[in-house]
Amino acid sequence: MTERLSVFGTGYLGATHAAGMAELGHEVIGVDVDAAKIERLSRGEVPFFEPGLPELLRKHVESGRLRFTTDAAEAAEFADIHFIGVGTPQVKNGYGADMTYVDAVIDTLAPMLTRPAVILGKSTVPVGTAARLAQKVRELAPVGDEAQLGWNPEFLREGFAVEDTLRPDRLVLGVDPKNPGRIEEVTRRVYAQALERETPFVVTDLATAELVKVSANAFLATKISFINAVAEVCDATGADVLDLADAIGHDERIGRKFLGAGLGFGGGCLPKDIRAFMARAGELGVDQALTFLREVDTVNLRRRQHVVDLAERQVGGSLRGARIAVLGAAFKPNSDDVRDSPALDVAGQLHLRGAEVRVHDPEAMDNARAVWPTLHFADTPAQAVQDADLVIVATEWREFRDLDPVATGAAVTHKRVIDGRNCLPAQAWIDAGWSYRGMGRLSS
Ligand code: UDX
């Protein structure tokens, strides 16, 4: 059944959700306060890199099933179901999440709701937010109790956002059990296709739905920091964290995924979500419950420092004037996102400590340049490594993993490589005469 939907916020989450919902057969209007972004999306252009999204967006903008506006009133008039997909970044002067954008959507939209409507929040928010917003919606909406809010967290991964939206591994919906209204029934209609495929659908209360999202991200962050902490011990003993991760990963209770030791996690979600989770636990008087996340964060940030220190040792004790190629700026491959990117952080720190850094990334150069305008950016990996004293692979893009160690060796001044993501075929590089340093494994 075709529903009329709006999606507030057209970033990685909102734009993908809007296009995904159109693909599921709904009529969708995307809303954003950024006029330039809306103009580009209306032309069928995606303002960021996300595989598969440009095709999907163009298809549905052309079919007329998907359109974009800066006018919230147009969305309130058109749609019966409104998704909130705006950002909740870390606040400037603390660990908490900045709720300005989410609140702004409610303050704008709710007073325009003159007929029954359902609002479904997707943004990652501190537990307790949804209950507060549900109350606010009832107060502000002319239609009163017929304006109902539920929470439907999003688990999409950048780089796989389209797939995760069209074929989610689970759906979660939070509703107020004392006041469930029509929210579950409406949500079931929106996701009818996924539900027909028997996608697990967890319907719970608002607080649990909010906590599901941050708990999932906190667990993933913990898994990564766990293996990175073990990598530090491996480095101290000569053990190999790759073999170790394979071996413990065979235990189904542990699993091999997210045990990739390296430069650690970054991006727009994991780092800020664990900090906001800690901040919220503090407000709730249970900060001790999550103090371990402080350590998860510390282990993670120590990875970046470790690579900078290792680089200094590799080039003979001083970074001043050392020519270093940093391959990668995005926080992970298949993304142009440099938010809290370990790769870009390492490049920036090396630069500040006097190294002559050349950065290349297949997609994230413009975003990286905006953050670090003083870094030197090379158009190709070959230009980045030319005459380098050290090569650091900081994001595991395929084109870096596939670099030919012999040809690369002919271009550099010193054959030294730090494999910050344990993604290179180490033996091939060693055989080609390179000094190879992995993360928690093999060095030559
Ligand atoms: C994450 C969650 O996976 C997703 O469910 C949620 O909706 C949003 O946050 P994303 O930020 O796109 O998604 O990235 P993800 O693939 O989780 O990777 C996060 C970071 O962890 C990257 O910097 C990646 O390089 C790093 N990572 C991942 C590791 O260092 N080791 C691993 O084994 C896995």
Side-chain angles (χ1 to χ4, degrees), residues 296-376:
V296 166
D297 201 8
T298 306
V299 168
N300 190 52
L301 294 176
R302 198 156 65 219
R303 301 309 291 163
R304 306 175 188 191
Q305 195 53 48
H306 169 68
V307 168
V308 173
D309 293 345
L310 191 58
E312 188 175 54
R313 287 201 298 278
Q314 293 283 89
V315 298
S318 170
L319 287 166
R320 192 148 293 280
R323 280 162 302 186
I324 302 182
V326 176
L327 300 181
F331 83 105
K332 67 173 189 181
N334 299 314
S335 169
D336 65 353
D337 196 345
V338 298
R339 286 177 292 174
D340 212 333
S341 166
L344 193 57
D345 205 9
V346 163
Q349 285 188 50
L350 292 169
H351 168 69
L352 291 179
R353 285 171 56 173
E356 206 183 288
V357 181
R358 263 173 284 156
V359 181
H360 176 76
D361 189 283
E363 294 293 338
M365 301 273 266
D366 290 343
N367 287 342
R369 209 178 272 115
V371 179
W372 278 98
T374 51
L375 283 177
H376 182 84

Side-chain angles (χ1 to χ4, degrees), residues 240-428:
D240 187 301
V241 79
L242 274 187
D243 288 349
L244 183 147
D246 287 344
I248 65 172
H250 286 305
D251 184 332
E252 277 181 12
R253 294 168 303 174
I254 297 174
R256 180 63 176 82
K257 289 180 184 156
F258 271 67
L259 286 180
L263 256 175
F265 58 82
C269 293
L270 263 41
K272 69 119 175 142
D273 285 354
I274 59 168
R275 292 171 196 155
F277 198 12
M278 280 187 269
R280 188 68 186 127
E283 288 166 8
L284 294 166
V286 286
D287 45 334
Q288 281 188 342
L290 298 184
T291 38
F292 75 95
L293 287 179
R294 200 171 285 275
E295 197 55 32
V296 166
D297 201 8
T298 306
V299 168
N300 190 52
L301 294 176
R302 198 156 65 219
R303 301 309 291 163
R304 306 175 188 191
Q305 195 53 48
H306 169 68
V307 168
V308 173
D309 293 345
L310 191 58
E312 188 175 54
R313 287 201 298 278
Q314 293 283 89
V315 298
S318 170
L319 287 166
R320 192 148 293 280
R323 280 162 302 186
I324 302 182
V326 176
L327 300 181
F331 83 105
K332 67 173 189 181
N334 299 314
S335 169
D336 65 353
D337 196 345
V338 298
R339 286 177 292 174
D340 212 333
S341 166
L344 193 57
D345 205 9
V346 163
Q349 285 188 50
L350 292 169
H351 168 69
L352 291 179
R353 285 171 56 173
E356 206 183 288
V357 181
R358 263 173 284 156
V359 181
H360 176 76
D361 189 283
E363 294 293 338
M365 301 273 266
D366 290 343
N367 287 342
R369 209 178 272 115
V371 179
W372 278 98
T374 51
L375 283 177
H376 182 84
F377 291 92
D379 289 336
T380 62
Q383 283 175 21
V385 302
Q386 190 63 46
D387 301 326
D389 296 311
L390 171 67
V391 175
I392 301 178
V393 178
T395 312
E396 67 275 35
W397 285 97
R398 171 154 289 284
E399 64 182 279
F400 302 151
R401 300 204 315 256
D402 290 347
L403 276 176
D404 176 2
V406 177
T408 310
V412 298
T413 301
H414 291 101
K415 290 198 231 177
R416 303 174 184 131
V417 63
I418 297 178
D419 185 0
R421 292 291 179 182
N422 286 341
C423 63
L424 299 177
Q427 200 54 52

Side-chain angles (χ1 to χ4, degrees), residues 109-161:
L109 176 64
M112 296 172 172
L113 298 175
T114 52
R115 61 173 201 276
V118 167
I119 301 177
L120 292 174
K122 294 203 85 63
S123 308
T124 304
V125 293
V127 57
T129 303
R132 175 174 69 77
L133 296 179
Q135 176 65 23
K136 198 175 185 179
V137 166
R138 278 195 296 274
E139 283 164 18
L140 293 178
V143 71
D145 287 353
E146 288 300 312
Q148 299 164 353
L149 179 136
W151 217 257
N152 171 221
E154 183 59 57
F155 305 100
L156 64 80
R157 300 159 296 166
E158 287 179 26
F160 301 92

